[in-house]
Amino acid sequence: FVLRGMEPWTFSKHGKNRDCDATKPADKFEPIQYPKPDGVLSFDILTNLARSGTNHEGDQPSHLKIKPDLADTPKLSITKYAGPEQRFCPAKVYEYVESESGGEKELVINAQNCVHCKCCSIKMPKEYINWTVPEGGGGPAYE
């Protein structure tokens, strides 16, 4: 109110660069080997997902869709960036599996696991996911 949005602590890059443009090719990095969940301080994805109370109706249309004009981006994501979405998504919504024809990997979107963090709409290469609000209030049970 007093400074009318001109606070001196506002980030200088705010609004100028997209976060997805900062993603660098995978060949410039060493893969990280994370320790297995210990069941005390860290837990596996399915346990964390169950604790979040996430609920989406089974017949509900997916609220996560690949933008039509960026339909080829998942191929770029897995070949150039090693599919970062399968690592940064806290609910393992995105995974690359071997295609039935063999050879190439294809993206599978498990929208029913989504905890609505919206990381995918910000960090995916070229922001290729269109995130919309799911039907009927589905999602995590925040308390």
Side-chain angles (χ1 to χ4, degrees):
F1 181 72
V2 174
L3 298 176
R4 297 190 175 142
M6 303 306 261
E7 293 83 5
W9 55 84
T10 302
F11 296 116
S12 63
K13 289 187 174 183
H14 183 70
K16 295 180 182 173
N17 298 319
R18 299 181 312 171
D19 195 41
C20 67
D21 295 332
T23 304
K24 294 183 173 58
D27 62 2
K28 296 189 183 301
F29 301 95
E30 291 289 322
I32 299 171
Q33 297 300 322
Y34 294 101
K36 298 281 184 207
D38 62 10
V40 177
L41 293 175
S42 58
F43 301 91
D44 63 283
I45 297 286
L46 292 178
T47 301
N48 283 337
L49 198 57
R51 288 183 177 163
S52 75
T54 297
N55 182 32
H56 293 96
E57 294 296 324
D59 60 348
Q60 184 179 70
S62 176
H63 66 286
L64 304 167
K65 295 186 172 110
I66 297 172
K67 294 175 183 174
D69 56 325
L70 298 172
D72 290 337
T73 307
K75 289 179 186 167
L76 171 74
S77 179
I78 191 65
T79 56
K80 184 174 181 180
Y81 302 106
E85 53 273 33
Q86 63 188 344
R87 291 185 300 284
F88 66 63
C89 179
K92 210 144 177 75
V93 169
Y94 304 95
E95 61 182 321
Y96 284 90
V97 297
E98 296 292 330
S99 65
E100 291 180 13
S101 61
E104 290 187 2
K105 289 187 174 188
E106 55 187 39
L107 179 65
V108 174
I109 301 175
N110 302 305
Q112 70 277 9
N113 291 357
C114 185
V115 293
H116 303 181
C117 69
K118 293 202 67 182
C119 189
C120 61
S121 67
I122 299 166
K123 192 64 180 165
M124 295 269 221
K126 297 185 181 181
E127 296 179 347
Y128 73 86
I129 287 293
N130 185 23
W131 192 101
T132 57
V133 178
E135 286 182 350
Y142 295 117
E143 293 180 12

